[in-house]
Amino acid sequence: MADPSKGSLNTATVREKWNLRQCIEGCARHGLGGIAPWRDKLAECGIDEASRMIRDNGLTVTGLCRAGLFPASDAAAFQANLDENRRAVDEAVAIDAECVVLVAGGLPVGSRDLPGARAQVRDGIAATLEYARGVGMKLAIEPLHPMYAADRACVNTLAHANDLCDELGEGLGVAVDVYHVWWDPNVATEIARAGKDRILAFHVCDWLVPTTDLLLDRGMMGDGVIDIPAIRAMVEATGFDGLYEVEIFSAENWWKRDPDEVLTTVVERLGSAV
Ligand code: ZN
């Protein structure tokens, strides 16, 4: 049995049944050491109340989900996206998060210009990073599996995320999510390249076979085909000693269960499958 305090609950895992207050209390009850709130749950709870509860329960905030989503059809919409990212950075500072998780965003509606979208992502991160540096918050680019390139994230490999870090510099890092990187033949090289300073978060769940929904059919650790301990070993070989953030989007299975059962299983699997 692993120490449950090595685990962090990404609130997406129980989002259908628990609000943020219940998530915080659930983490404390199950001995988890961290939490990663989504902004909608944070807004619903209220930032002051959330910070107080998180602090009182001694939880580490392994990340605020999520910002990014930069590409837009015109300059005004792009600027609105930048403004939204600044708000996310401010919220992350308020709850003392270790980083803001950035999901790049996909193609603007009607566009086929993937290089153009990627250029907007670069510019959007650069602008947000300048702001984040000023308030002492780190940004973690989370590359998503290429199946999301059109509608969610056009940064799809750790190599691309590392290139952006090389270009844009201090304060920018990566979130390594096993679900998004396990298939990549260069995963070991790129995790080593990222290194301890850049790996700001480590997310776990599993890839089910068959996967019946591109977004909402992620598995509990141990129920799929990802060699999670192997990827964890690569991440920890860099010197990363952060928490294992459990992030499971599962509309037909885990989201329907009693969240206390979900967290009991999470703690078991942190011991046996991570
Ligand atoms: Zn993730």
Side-chain angles (χ1 to χ4, degrees):
M1 177 60 113
D3 177 357
S5 69
K6 275 297 279 181
S8 173
L9 175 69
N10 184 300
T11 61
T13 306
V14 291
R15 77 174 196 193
E16 297 297 298
K17 295 193 187 277
W18 275 358
N19 60 30
L20 184 53
R21 171 188 294 270
Q22 291 169 304
C23 288
I24 293 167
E25 289 168 345
C27 285
R29 206 160 51 241
H30 291 267
L32 294 172
I35 191 162
W38 278 62
R39 293 183 67 208
D40 56 342
K41 297 276 188 199
L42 183 59
E44 180 189 278
C45 180
I47 289 178
D48 292 344
E49 172 73 355
S51 336
R52 188 189 60 73
M53 286 190 71
I54 288 167
R55 205 171 45 240
D56 288 353
N57 286 284
L59 298 175
T60 297
V61 180
T62 50
L64 176 65
C65 291
R66 68 183 178 196
L69 307 176
F70 294 106
S73 303
D74 58 52
F78 183 68
Q79 184 58 48
N81 291 346
L82 294 186
D83 295 344
E84 193 58 37
N85 274 272
R86 287 187 174 209
R87 281 191 285 275
V89 169
D90 289 340
E91 290 168 16
V93 170
I95 61 169
D96 199 20
E98 295 189 325
C99 61
V100 176
V101 174
L102 297 184
V103 165
L107 292 167
V109 175
S111 170
R112 293 191 176 90
D113 182 8
L114 188 54
R118 287 178 169 149
Q120 288 195 53
V121 169
R122 181 229 168 267
D123 293 348
I125 293 175
T128 304
L129 186 58
E130 193 178 315
Y131 182 74
R133 280 181 189 137
V135 295
M137 181 50 56
K138 292 191 170 184
L139 304 179
I141 306 170
E142 181 169 2
L144 299 197
H145 189 284
M147 67 184 171
Y148 301 115
D151 60 349
R152 281 175 200 281
C154 58
V155 174
N156 307 106
T157 60
L158 273 172
H160 187 177
N162 273 323
D163 288 347
L164 287 164
C165 291
D166 283 348
E167 183 185 349
L168 301 175
E170 184 61 31
L172 185 60
V174 300
V176 177
D177 186 325
V178 298
Y179 194 76
H180 299 301
V181 305
W182 73 279
W183 59 272
D184 184 346
N186 296 318
V187 65
T189 312
E190 293 297 332
I191 285 173
R193 177 182 163 201
K196 181 183 194 295
D197 291 344
R198 266 188 204 164
I199 299 178
L200 302 179
F202 178 54
H203 299 176
V204 295
C205 66
D206 215 334
W207 186 281
L208 300 175
V209 178
T211 288
T212 59
D213 186 284
L214 295 188
L215 185 62
L216 302 178
D217 191 31
R218 299 193 195 184
M220 178 65 67
M221 299 80 73
D223 287 348
V225 298
I226 303 178
D227 188 344
I228 302 170
I231 299 176
R232 176 177 62 78
M234 293 170 199
V235 167
E236 291 185 335
T238 68
F240 174 88
D241 62 356
L243 302 184
Y244 313 142
E245 181 180 320
V246 178
E247 183 185 32
I248 304 173
F249 294 76
S250 171
E252 297 304 318
N253 184 357
W254 297 101
W255 283 0
K256 292 189 168 171
R257 303 200 197 191
D258 171 2
D260 274 305
E261 181 200 343
V262 177
L263 289 201
T264 297
T265 310
V266 160
V267 169
E268 283 169 11
R269 300 298 178 84
L270 285 169
S272 64
V274 174

